[in-house]
Amino acid sequence: MASMPLRVIPLGGLGAIGKNMMVLEYGDDIVVIDCGVMFPGEDMPGVDLVIPDISYLVERSHKVRAILITHGHEDHTGALPYVLPRLNVPVFAPRLAHGLISVKLKDHGLHKSTDLRAIEPGVPISLGPFETEAFRVCHSIPDAMGLAIRTPVGLVVHTGDFKIDHTPVDGKTTDLASLARYGAEGVLLLLSDSTYAELEGYTPSERVVGEALDRVIAGAPGRVLVATFASLIARIQQTIEAAARHGRKVAVVGRSMVDNVAMATEMGYIKAPPGVLVSLQKAMKLPQNEVVLVTTGSQGEPTSALVRIASGTHRQIEVFPDDTVIISATAIPGNEKVVYRTIDNLMRQGARVLYDKIALVHVHGHSSREELKIMLNLTKPKFFVPVHGEYRGLAAHASLARDMGVQKDNAFILEDGDVLELTSTGGQVTEQVSAGHIYVDGLSTMDTKSVVLRDRKLLSQDGIVVIVLSFDKASGAPLSEPAVVSSGFVEHQQAEELFGKVAAHIYDSLDHGSHYPLDWSYVNAKVKEIAGELLYKGTGRRPMIIPVTLEV
Amino acid sequence: MASMPLRVIPLGGLGAIGKNMMVLEYGDDIVVIDCGVMFPGEDMPGVDLVIPDISYLVERSHKVRAILITHGHEDHTGALPYVLPRLNVPVFAPRLAHGLISVKLKDHGLHKSTDLRAIEPGVPISLGPFETEAFRVCHSIPDAMGLAIRTPVGLVVHTGDFKIDHTPVDGKTTDLASLARYGAEGVLLLLSDSTYAELEGYTPSERVVGEALDRVIAGAPGRVLVATFASLIARIQQTIEAAARHGRKVAVVGRSMVDNVAMATEMGYIKAPPGVLVSLQKAMKLPQNEVVLVTTGSQGEPTSALVRIASGTHRQIEVFPDDTVIISATAIPGNEKVVYRTIDNLMRQGARVLYDKIALVHVHGHSSREELKIMLNLTKPKFFVPVHGEYRGLAAHASLARDMGVQKDNAFILEDGDVLELTSTGGQVTEQVSAGHIYVDGLSTMDTKSVVLRDRKLLSQDGIVVIVLSFDKASGAPLSEPAVVSSGFVEHQQAEELFGKVAAHIYDSLDHGSHYPLDWSYVNAKVKEIAGELLYKGTGRRPMIIPVTLEV
């Protein structure tokens, strides 16, 4: 029996608490669930990726038994190349995720040093005191799993990202029977996906999208372009099936889409009738009403195929007035503007564009409230921790769990770094550990408090003015009027006169006697003050001002 | 009878075509409808405001008879202070808009030089050949009007921003009778609000929000905070009424909200029962369940009252666990993240937060498709131009108009600057004139192609590195290793070693003989090349590099 508490620690999720990494710790053993990236927001200029802060794990690396991956999406797998060099532990992943991770590790030269293993639903894995098995869930990528982890304190069920689709494209439904079995066995803790916990009702089945795609393709006068996520294998499969039914060929456009379709076909996740998948070259020679193109660009990514097609800069594909374009995706928050700009550009060239606001051409991969209730009802957990959601989603989910019978004090809304200690009778948050986000920019990383990011935001507001002063090394006397250069501040013609004035004022204000050594901090402060005032008076703008002083 | 065509020219609308300014021109006469600003997007760093390009009007200022304002929102009035100094013409506005514009002109010292007149529905105004009358429409601000303009070519109806609310808070419904009369008279051209032309059904009445506010306030255990737009006078009136019904006092928080409530009360647009409106100081002394606070901050504006309350930095107001917060607004696209962060922060402190996703606490002010059909059916226009919408809204509205009987070639989707020439029998776009957006930043303006904005975006990506080289004035020989400074590039400790290397490499690469005059463009290009390569190799980042060369 348990002599110690089970520790539950979300590490990093950018608002979506614990989405990218969740830690279970018992005594000298740790398992990590997922290892994902977040994509930088507009408030992180120049940042390439955001990864979880794993210092807690690195300090205890001897305790970490494994990283368990629930499915192959980037927000659950993408940090592996950054984490594994610091924490070389076995990685367990469902088959498709295993394939995707292999490619990623090869790109980073980590495939030889990594112990990557495929897991199958129902096959137990022993990790120290953690007896783990995966169970199938439906999500917007095949081979998504939840995890049932037997610990000395009790059974923990982690749903992963899930919805309850009774008619998924691959026929593999969320494994309600296993969930019922866990419920009968007694679930100590349920960690459940809260992404859409505010949404009433049920998330529609993938099947309704298949039917919509079929109708649109059947009735389209010319070519059909379907833009979706490269990982939305089921959507691609549905498109291929609908195209085949209506005598059309399918060509795949965009590098990540081509790669994913090739990989998924090879692994058996995409099944195309013979001859239906053709090259783009071949498709370009067919009559337009015999063609479906599947492309990237559903998020308005600037370099994607669809965006280049829409802006008339794609090398091979242009828009024709009889084209039908289906945006089979929802704009991820922050991407709305670029997605809509793409739609507008396609329409301007005469294409008919169908998107989620006006047609049922997309459903998402997360449970709405009725599905969350089913999960709670089947597992009947003693303790509940909502995961994968922003705070209001977690709060809505916790409140739902209480309505469904979880005791008020047994539902915990955690923040990243909170340590929840559970025994079989009670739980409490006992401490906070280092957690949160690390920004990857080029070859190095920064934390969220970095002055570099703060400066980038300042620079983008009113630009920068650099003022270079030269002084005589021996006497300390100024050698000439300062040189003033700028970027992002004002137009060139406006700058010239203004900078002349600034240079003259600063030069006049300097002590022209010989006062070596100069008080540099005084000179710098004075230069900033004079320049700041003159520039603001002349333009109403407040650029960053950097004085540079040379002794020659 | 008409001997010339009527020219219809949208000037500026940031995607929402013609939203901010629409021009009607006949021979030697022009009237301008609305004069609004747009608020800058994330792709316009540092920009304060976006105004329409009025060069077309300035070149023809002798022809411009008036600017007609449809209602008091900023996106229809906000450019007046920037336009009137260049185009001093009479401005006609409904009574409330007149009040709001007066304040604005006073702030800019323009009230004495401007001929600002109030218009009443049904009262004719003669502007050269344009016989104009306003008719009442419902929108999210009182005193919103559409315009019926009789021209030598025929009757033009411009809807302004509108919805058809049969039970508005002030009882003043959209004037369907006048619209029917115009339809009977014969409408040459309908210009109609397309903001929500993609949305099926009807926009709910303001009344449903009033009922929701009443229920929430009736059942709230503690204080109620209602955050909404300062211009949403009807919502504030409803809140006051609900508070009064349930024995609560109302205090107003936030400068723009205080100003607007004072002005609207004075002008009779807000009617509070005696004693219900109290000062914040007084409200702070009342039991919490007797208080309603109306505040700004529904868009997550960083300096607004609600955001400061949520982040614990408001001087007077803190969040209590029994508080109920109602966000009675929708996040304007681009504001979603900050609005949700505010909601999350309020919830973290224990407040119950109601917002549009989970409760009917807001309706917007624009027509959905069924209302647009009523407008088309009443006016039965010969020609149709959808306005106030992004391209896909305009396209949806044009297609709706065709379905409702407008001939295919008589519905025109215009872009800003398009000149549509209409006769009584036909119309076509004959030319493009200068139009679009001018960015106001501080005291001066920039156009959309400005290098300043491009540089700001570049600066925000990987920052800037400035390299200062000094040469002997007489010999042209370098005087010392260059000085290297940066901002927004890398952390200080990383910079030091890297910049030492860069300085040394550049110094070594310079010709140390005496070669006056130096080829500056060659030196600059070489410095950029050497530094760019070393910095990228060391960091994976590509900052902007600016060489500064001094001769001393």
Side-chain angles (χ1 to χ4, degrees):
Chain A
M1 271 318 296
S3 54
M4 288 169 295
L6 175 71
R7 287 159 61 92
V8 180
I9 315 167
L11 287 182
L14 194 66
I17 311 298
K19 181 166 190 75
N20 307 105
M21 184 171 280
M22 176 62 78
V23 170
L24 296 184
E25 181 176 12
Y26 181 79
D28 283 337
D29 297 276
I30 285 175
V31 289
V32 180
I33 300 166
D34 288 332
C35 188
V37 291
M38 297 143 277
F39 296 96
E42 306 246 16
D43 53 335
M44 309 168 201
V47 171
D48 303 324
L49 281 179
V50 185
I51 59 174
D53 175 358
I54 58 161
S55 50
Y56 182 82
L57 297 175
V58 171
E59 287 159 17
R60 292 156 185 80
S61 58
H62 61 285
K63 296 170 76 171
V64 183
R65 300 291 152 251
I67 298 172
L68 303 165
I69 301 293
T70 57
H71 62 280
H73 278 152
E74 283 292 311
D75 53 344
H76 295 255
T77 65
L80 282 170
Y82 305 92
V83 166
L84 288 172
R86 301 179 63 202
L87 193 74
N88 190 5
V89 300
V91 178
F92 293 81
R95 226 162 57 83
L96 177 59
H98 184 278
L100 291 161
I101 294 167
S102 299
V103 174
K104 193 189 302 292
L105 294 181
K106 223 169 259 173
D107 286 350
H108 285 81
L110 292 166
H111 55 300
K112 283 187 183 150
S113 59
T114 303
D115 178 4
L116 176 63
R117 310 182 204 173
I119 52 177
E120 293 291 336
V123 179
I125 310 162
S126 282
L127 301 162
F130 302 108
E131 290 290 332
T132 301
E133 69 182 48
F135 57 92
R136 232 175 240 302
V137 295
C138 291
H139 184 45
S140 45
I141 185 169
D143 254 4
M145 308 271 175
L147 298 167
I149 303 176
R150 289 181 184 83
T151 77
V153 183
L155 174 58
V156 176
V157 173
H158 188 298
T159 66
D161 283 350
F162 83 105
K163 65 177 176 179
I164 297 180
D165 186 344
H166 301 291
T167 53
V169 174
D170 63 5
K172 292 172 180 163
T173 56
T174 296
D175 184 358
L176 302 183
S178 287
L179 287 164
R181 203 156 35 77
Y182 304 140
E185 182 180 335
V187 172
L188 176 78
L189 169 66
L190 175 68
L191 301 142
S192 184
D193 179 6
S194 314
T195 311
Y196 282 92
E198 300 156 277
L199 223 62
E200 293 294 343
Y202 287 94
T203 302
S205 169
E206 271 289 317
R207 173 173 289 185
V208 302
V209 178
E211 290 164 0
L213 289 174
D214 194 272
R215 270 195 307 278
V216 174
I217 291 174
R223 224 169 32 172
V224 178
L225 286 83
V226 179
T228 191
F229 299 100
S231 62
L232 229 175
I233 307 292
R235 201 63 51 78
I236 301 166
Q237 176 68 33
Q238 287 177 317
T239 305
I240 291 170
E241 288 172 14
R245 264 195 299 277
H246 301 291
R248 290 181 183 242
K249 308 291 185 194
V250 177
V252 180
V253 188
R255 201 180 64 87
S256 61
M257 189 63 88
V258 169
D259 289 353
N260 266 30
V261 169
M263 193 271 300
T265 305
E266 194 182 318
M267 291 184 75
Y269 291 99
I270 287 182
K271 295 186 185 74
V276 167
L277 276 175
V278 299
S279 69
L280 180 57
Q281 285 64 33
K282 183 150 181 209
M284 297 298 282
K285 290 183 196 128
L286 293 170
Q288 303 217 344
N289 62 2
E290 292 178 16
V291 174
V292 173
L293 302 180
V294 177
T295 94
T296 53
S298 66
Q299 293 304 306
E301 305 92 327
T303 59
S304 66
L306 188 70
V307 171
R308 285 183 290 137
I309 294 169
S311 62
T313 58
H314 195 278
R315 279 181 306 119
Q316 293 158 288
I317 305 169
E318 54 183 318
V319 181
F320 299 108
D322 262 353
D323 282 352
T324 302
V325 182
I326 302 172
I327 314 283
S328 190
T330 302
I332 292 169
N335 291 349
E336 293 91 348
K337 278 194 181 184
V338 284
V339 171
Y340 285 135
R341 193 181 306 146
T342 305
I343 294 173
D344 285 350
N345 284 338
L346 291 163
M347 282 187 172
R348 279 196 171 89
Q349 295 172 69
R352 179 177 176 226
V353 187
L354 300 170
Y355 50 103
D356 61 347
K357 241 195 196 173
I358 60 165
L360 193 50
V361 291
H362 179 66
V363 296
H364 60 77
H366 299 274
S367 290
S368 304
R369 290 171 70 83
E370 289 305 318
E371 292 151 272
L372 299 177
K373 289 181 194 169
I374 293 173
M375 180 60 76
L376 281 157
N377 202 343
L378 284 171
T379 54
K380 293 189 176 50
K382 175 160 191 165
F383 299 104
F384 179 70
V385 172
V387 294
H388 307 185
E390 300 193 29
Y391 197 90
R392 58 201 180 283
L394 305 181
H397 204 175
S399 150
L400 183 68
R402 290 180 188 125
D403 289 347
M404 302 266 312
V406 173
Q407 279 185 29
K408 190 170 181 315
D409 293 340
N410 287 358
F412 300 90
I413 302 178
L414 302 183
E415 305 257 15
D416 286 329
D418 278 353
V419 177
L420 170 66
E421 294 201 341
L422 286 183
T423 65
S424 56
T425 55
Q428 59 178 325
V429 174
T430 56
E431 59 171 325
Q432 245 98 29
V433 301
S434 177
H437 309 116
I438 301 292
Y439 298 148
V440 179
D441 179 9
L443 304 178
S444 53
T445 59
M446 304 181 274
D447 68 24
T448 49
K449 287 186 280 302
S450 166
V451 72
V452 171
L453 279 186
R454 197 207 56 190
D455 283 347
R456 286 183 188 170
K457 282 180 233 172
L458 283 177
L459 287 169
S460 76
Q461 286 308 299
D462 281 334
I464 184 170
V465 174
V466 178
I467 300 170
V468 184
L469 300 100
S470 49
F471 296 90
D472 186 86
K473 203 183 289 193
S475 73
L479 287 169
S480 65
E481 281 199 358
V484 185
V485 296
S486 76
S487 178
F489 173 48
V490 289
E491 307 286 350
H492 189 67
Q493 64 275 26
Q494 199 187 346
E496 214 158 327
E497 197 196 322
L498 188 62
F499 289 174
K501 211 157 106 184
V502 168
H505 265 74
I506 290 174
Y507 188 68
D508 290 348
S509 78
L510 295 170
D511 188 341
H512 290 260
S514 160
H515 291 275
Y516 197 77
L518 277 164
D519 179 347
W520 293 123
S521 67
Y522 173 75
V523 171
N524 284 342
K526 196 157 172 187
V527 165
K528 277 193 187 184
E529 187 193 320
I530 294 172
E533 214 165 283
L534 280 173
L535 295 175
Y536 182 71
K537 235 175 79 186
T539 64
R541 304 179 191 177
R542 296 193 186 282
M544 184 185 287
I545 297 171
I546 299 192
V548 182
T549 41
L550 296 183
E551 292 177 283
V552 286
Chain B
M1 272 315 294
S3 54
M4 289 170 294
L6 175 72
R7 287 159 62 92
V8 180
I9 316 167
L11 286 183
L14 194 67
I17 310 299
K19 182 167 189 72
N20 307 105
M21 185 172 278
M22 176 63 76
V23 169
L24 297 184
E25 181 176 13
Y26 182 79
D28 283 336
D29 297 277
I30 285 175
V31 290
V32 179
I33 299 167
D34 288 332
C35 188
V37 291
M38 297 142 276
F39 295 97
E42 306 246 14
D43 52 336
M44 309 168 202
V47 171
D48 304 322
L49 281 179
V50 186
I51 59 175
D53 176 357
I54 58 161
S55 50
Y56 182 82
L57 297 175
V58 170
E59 287 160 17
R60 290 157 187 79
S61 58
H62 62 286
K63 296 170 78 171
V64 182
R65 300 291 151 249
I67 298 172
L68 302 166
I69 302 293
T70 58
H71 62 280
H73 278 150
E74 283 291 310
D75 53 344
H76 294 255
T77 66
L80 282 170
Y82 305 92
V83 166
L84 287 172
R86 300 178 65 202
L87 194 74
N88 190 5
V89 299
V91 178
F92 293 83
R95 228 161 57 83
L96 177 59
H98 184 277
L100 292 162
I101 294 168
S102 298
V103 174
K104 194 190 301 293
L105 294 181
K106 225 169 257 174
D107 286 350
H108 284 81
L110 292 167
H111 54 301
K112 283 187 184 151
S113 59
T114 303
D115 178 4
L116 176 63
R117 308 182 206 174
I119 52 178
E120 293 292 336
V123 179
I125 309 162
S126 281
L127 301 163
F130 302 108
E131 290 291 330
T132 300
E133 68 180 51
F135 57 90
R136 232 176 240 303
V137 295
C138 291
H139 184 45
S140 45
I141 186 169
D143 254 5
M145 309 270 173
L147 297 167
I149 304 177
R150 290 180 184 86
T151 76
V153 182
L155 174 59
V156 176
V157 172
H158 187 296
T159 65
D161 282 352
F162 84 104
K163 67 175 174 178
I164 297 179
D165 186 343
H166 301 291
T167 53
V169 174
D170 64 4
K172 292 172 180 165
T173 55
T174 296
D175 184 358
L176 302 183
S178 287
L179 288 164
R181 203 155 36 76
Y182 304 140
E185 182 180 336
V187 172
L188 176 78
L189 168 66
L190 175 67
L191 301 142
S192 184
D193 180 6
S194 313
T195 312
Y196 282 92
E198 299 156 279
L199 222 62
E200 293 293 345
Y202 287 94
T203 302
S205 169
E206 271 291 315
R207 172 173 289 185
V208 301
V209 178
E211 290 164 0
L213 288 174
D214 194 274
R215 270 195 307 279
V216 174
I217 290 174
R223 222 168 32 171
V224 178
L225 287 83
V226 180
T228 191
F229 299 101
S231 62
L232 228 175
I233 307 292
R235 201 62 52 77
I236 300 166
Q237 176 67 35
Q238 287 176 316
T239 305
I240 291 171
E241 288 172 14
R245 263 195 299 278
H246 301 291
R248 290 180 183 241
K249 308 289 184 193
V250 177
V252 180
V253 188
R255 201 180 65 87
S256 61
M257 189 63 88
V258 170
D259 289 353
N260 267 28
V261 169
M263 194 271 301
T265 304
E266 194 182 320
M267 291 183 76
Y269 291 100
I270 286 182
K271 295 187 186 72
V276 169
L277 277 174
V278 299
S279 69
L280 180 57
Q281 283 66 30
K282 183 152 181 205
M284 298 298 283
K285 291 182 195 132
L286 294 171
Q288 304 216 344
N289 61 3
E290 293 178 15
V291 175
V292 172
L293 302 179
V294 176
T295 94
T296 52
S298 65
Q299 294 303 307
E301 306 93 326
T303 60
S304 65
L306 187 69
V307 172
R308 284 183 290 139
I309 294 168
S311 62
T313 58
H314 195 279
R315 279 181 306 123
Q316 295 158 287
I317 306 168
E318 55 182 317
V319 181
F320 299 108
D322 262 353
D323 282 351
T324 303
V325 182
I326 302 172
I327 314 282
S328 190
T330 303
I332 292 169
N335 292 348
E336 293 91 348
K337 278 195 182 182
V338 284
V339 171
Y340 285 135
R341 193 181 307 145
T342 305
I343 294 173
D344 285 350
N345 284 338
L346 291 164
M347 283 186 171
R348 279 196 172 91
Q349 296 172 69
R352 180 179 176 224
V353 187
L354 300 171
Y355 49 104
D356 62 346
K357 241 193 195 173
I358 61 166
L360 193 48
V361 291
H362 179 65
V363 296
H364 61 77
H366 298 273
S367 292
S368 303
R369 291 171 69 83
E370 289 305 318
E371 292 151 273
L372 299 177
K373 288 181 194 168
I374 292 174
M375 180 60 76
L376 281 157
N377 202 341
L378 285 170
T379 54
K380 294 190 175 50
K382 176 159 190 164
F383 299 104
F384 179 70
V385 172
V387 294
H388 308 185
E390 300 193 30
Y391 197 90
R392 58 200 181 284
L394 305 181
H397 204 176
S399 147
L400 184 68
R402 291 182 186 121
D403 290 348
M404 303 265 313
V406 173
Q407 281 186 28
K408 191 169 181 314
D409 293 341
N410 287 357
F412 300 90
I413 302 177
L414 301 183
E415 304 259 14
D416 286 330
D418 277 353
V419 177
L420 170 65
E421 294 201 340
L422 287 182
T423 65
S424 56
T425 54
Q428 57 179 325
V429 173
T430 56
E431 59 171 326
Q432 245 98 29
V433 301
S434 177
H437 308 117
I438 302 292
Y439 298 148
V440 179
D441 179 8
L443 305 178
S444 52
T445 59
M446 304 182 274
D447 67 25
T448 49
K449 288 185 279 302
S450 166
V451 71
V452 171
L453 279 187
R454 197 207 58 192
D455 283 348
R456 286 182 189 169
K457 281 180 234 172
L458 284 176
L459 286 168
S460 76
Q461 285 309 298
D462 281 335
I464 184 170
V465 174
V466 179
I467 300 169
V468 183
L469 300 101
S470 49
F471 295 90
D472 186 87
K473 202 183 290 195
S475 73
L479 287 169
S480 66
E481 281 199 359
V484 184
V485 296
S486 76
S487 178
F489 172 49
V490 290
E491 307 287 350
H492 189 68
Q493 64 275 27
Q494 199 187 347
E496 212 158 330
E497 198 195 324
L498 188 61
F499 289 173
K501 211 158 106 185
V502 168
H505 265 73
I506 290 175
Y507 188 67
D508 290 348
S509 78
L510 294 171
D511 188 341
H512 290 261
S514 169
H515 290 276
Y516 195 76
L518 277 163
D519 179 348
W520 293 122
S521 67
Y522 173 77
V523 171
N524 284 342
K526 196 156 171 187
V527 166
K528 278 192 186 186
E529 188 193 319
I530 293 172
E533 214 165 283
L534 280 172
L535 295 175
Y536 183 72
K537 234 175 81 185
T539 64
R541 304 178 192 177
R542 296 192 186 282
M544 184 184 288
I545 297 171
I546 299 193
V548 182
T549 41
L550 295 183
E551 292 176 283
V552 285

